[in-house]
Amino acid sequence: MPLVTHTGDVALARAEYDRRPGDNLRYALRKRFNWMQRYLGPATFAVEVGCGAGFSERFLKAGRLELTDAEAHPWVARVVDATELPYADASVDALIANNVIHHLAYPDRFLRGAARVLRPGGHLLVQECNLGLTTEWALRLTGHESYDWSPDPFDPTRPCNDPKDPWSANCAIPNLLFDDLAKFMQHYPMFAVTETGVSEFFIHFNNGGVSARVPYLPLPEAALRVVDAIDGRLVAIAPRFFAAQCRVALRRL
């Protein structure tokens, strides 16, 4: 039996969310979304691209939070291609991309589209996989997603993923984009980096999967807080080995 099942079944993930044993997934999602809340307010028009199962609405509050995705679901307000954002110039206050950029065929098109639709002072809030050594080993073991260090995510003409498959994944893309922030800023001078960070080891690998089923040890909130503290120490000591997630906040100039 494969270690990872029901990959991409966001309807099942949403239906089973409240019935999952333990607080693992809830804790991981709260950790991934809560940092974004300080960029949102009661007058904020926020758009999430690639919302998947739509879990963001459980953790984020904004004046208006519009969930979009490449696939139609009852909770999706608008079907959107993230590389061709259908919003007017300078019309969005915050754009949220939670573990979606590594699925995009043309990340450059998304980033330039984000710069176009964000108002000056607005934010692009990115939560993404971080391809540390343990993540590479896990991907090789499970075959859940793939990675390829050779594509150029700054090239708008050559795909980094299969353009016809919204679940195609290259987990190296976030590192290729954000590990060298000076290079990133050369390509996108319309943004300023407001915040960056890496996190998660056990919290990541023991959450049971977001849009897939993965074996895990169910834990209560109190135990997960202890695990999270251990993660923080491990990531601080050896981020290249342990960090499985990264976050980046970009301000539109």
Side-chain angles (χ1 to χ4, degrees), residues 17 23-38 59-60 98-99 126-128 195 197-204 207 221 224-225 227-233 235 243-247:
Y17 176 80
D23 294 318
N24 303 48
L25 181 58
R26 188 175 301 105
Y27 190 95
L29 290 173
R30 185 170 68 242
K31 184 177 181 66
R32 294 175 186 181
F33 282 119
N34 272 10
W35 71 269
M36 299 180 183
Q37 185 60 56
R38 59 179 166 271
F59 301 97
L60 296 177
N98 176 45
N99 281 279
V126 176
Q127 179 76 33
E128 262 299 344
E195 175 179 352
V198 291
S199 63
E200 294 190 34
F201 180 60
F202 292 115
I203 292 294
H204 175 85
N207 67 38
E221 172 88 15
L224 289 164
R225 287 198 295 268
V227 172
D228 196 13
I230 294 171
D231 277 3
R233 294 290 185 89
V235 169
Q245 286 277 302
C246 69
R247 68 181 184 277

Side-chain angles (χ1 to χ4, degrees), residues 184-198:
F184 181 89
M185 297 307 300
Q186 288 176 355
H187 284 274
Y188 309 109
M190 68 287 284
F191 284 118
V193 178
T194 303
E195 175 179 352
T196 64
V198 291

